[in-house]
Amino acid sequence: MAIVTGGASGIGEATCRRLVAEGATVVIADIDGERAASVAAELGRAASAVQFDAADVTSIESLVLCTIERFGHLDVLHNNAALTSPALHAKDTNAIDIGFDTWDLIFAANVRGYLAGCKYALPTMIRQGSGAIVNTASTGAFSGDITRMAYTVSKAAIIGLTRQIATHHGKQGIRCNAVAPGLVMSPGARAAVPDVIQVMQRHLLTPEIGEPDDLAALVCFLASEEARYINGQTYIADGGMLAHNPAMADLVDLAAHR
Ligand SMILES: NC(=O)c1ccc[n+]([C@@H]2O[C@H](COP(=O)([O-])OP(=O)(O)OC[C@H]3O[C@@H](n4cnc5c(N)ncnc54)[C@H](O)[C@@H]3O)[C@@H](O)[C@H]2O)c1
């Protein structure tokens, strides 16, 4: 039994599809209830949809507790929802220009929302003696970005949250790990960075840009028993973007013209 937040689109949707393909029952939780219901309808009896808002702790409490009441247990929580709208990103600039309302909203959904998911899931997981939490961070947590002050800092916070949950509850059978995607071709990313894609591709160490399925594979592995000896870790899936000298693409061009 798994809850996937932000499960109606992109990485979350791909994770729901893969979990169901691997035999799990999934609650697709999303602010877009209609889209979540349509993905659930496609996936059949193993999936159901719940509308919730990651920025609203009451709705997270109700999502988690109602799921536990309905199914009697909870094996996997994939905290993945984040505010990805281009309009919000446009206001999420730098330390001088960002409004505190923008900062607070992004932190409410991207950080407090993940904490709340853990807060309400953990008592049941601890009672069970097992549970896997997988949080979606971002490579933005590891490198500076020319904009997106709050988003980037919120994703760095997720890495700390992940280690804290693992440290506090690992001995009780809880594993908490994070995935850090680089650019992945989800609908959210396509809308947010349409003209950035070619620039980014130049710097990848892979022929293709990542797809939501690439992250779903990693999330499902971390959620599975096969990952039983992995706790408190963050796994980067970014096509090698952070693995090389930042000047690599320019150096390749330079070498080609010699
Ligand atoms: N795609 C990328 O390039 C990329 C890179 C790094 C990190 N990420 C992270 O991956 C995760 C998924 O992103 P994606 O690219 O698949 O995005 P997406 O926009 O395709 O999907 C995000 C989903 O979250 C839902 N959502 C948004 N606000 C919500 C809220 N307040 N409450 C509940 N649900 C809400 C949306 O309705 C949507 O279905 C996010 O945490 C994002 O920060 C994505």
Side-chain angles (χ1 to χ4, degrees):
M1 172 63 232
I3 296 175
V4 177
T5 75
S9 172
I11 293 167
E13 178 184 348
T15 301
C16 290
R17 291 183 186 282
R18 183 156 180 148
L19 283 168
V20 168
E22 291 183 4
T25 305
V26 175
V27 166
I28 303 170
D30 205 283
I31 200 161
D32 185 344
E34 254 178 58
R35 170 86 192 137
S38 117
V39 175
E42 252 186 78
L43 291 177
R45 289 177 52 179
S48 50
V50 172
Q51 201 266 342
F52 91 112
D53 180 357
D56 171 6
V57 285
T58 315
S59 93
I60 299 172
E61 180 179 22
S62 147
L63 162 69
V64 175
L65 298 188
C66 292
T67 301
I68 291 167
E69 194 179 310
R70 182 169 160 212
F71 294 94
H73 64 124
L74 179 63
D75 306 306
V76 174
L77 171 64
H78 179 30
N79 276 319
N80 168 75
L83 304 180
T84 54
S85 92
L88 187 63
H89 281 321
K91 294 196 233 167
D92 180 14
T93 49
N94 56 56
I96 297 169
D97 297 330
I98 190 172
F100 291 123
D101 52 343
T102 301
W103 175 275
D104 287 345
L105 176 59
I106 290 173
F107 266 70
N110 294 15
V111 183
R112 191 184 65 196
Y114 284 28
L115 170 73
C118 297
K119 182 180 180 65
Y120 298 117
L122 279 166
T124 296
M125 289 179 164
I126 291 167
R127 229 178 357 263
Q128 293 166 179
S130 68
I133 298 169
V134 183
N135 297 320
T136 304
S138 166
T139 49
F142 299 102
S143 62
D145 192 353
I146 57 170
T147 178
R148 300 201 297 176
M149 170 59 87
Y151 175 83
T152 301
V153 181
S154 78
K155 291 303 188 178
I158 292 308
I159 295 172
L161 176 79
T162 300
R163 290 195 188 117
Q164 284 292 86
I165 301 285
T167 304
H168 295 175
H169 302 292
K171 285 287 187 201
Q172 293 164 302
I174 311 304
R175 289 185 308 102
C176 183
N177 293 292
V179 296
L183 181 60
V184 169
M185 289 292 86
S186 63
R190 276 183 210 281
V193 291
D195 48 356
V196 174
I197 289 165
Q198 271 188 324
V199 176
M200 298 285 280
Q201 187 152 22
R202 220 174 131 239
H203 294 271
L204 295 181
L205 305 183
T206 51
E208 311 291 341
I209 299 183
E211 293 292 332
D213 282 345
D214 296 313
L215 268 296
L218 185 54
V219 173
C220 290
F221 166 66
L222 290 172
S224 78
E225 263 302 293
E226 284 180 297
R228 69 187 194 117
Y229 199 48
I230 300 175
N231 211 353
Q233 304 302 310
T234 299
Y235 285 85
I236 295 172
D238 69 342
M241 176 65 94
L242 295 187
H244 61 73
N245 180 322
M248 178 204 75
D250 295 332
L251 293 172
V252 169
D253 287 352
L254 199 65
H257 291 103
R258 275 212 170 118

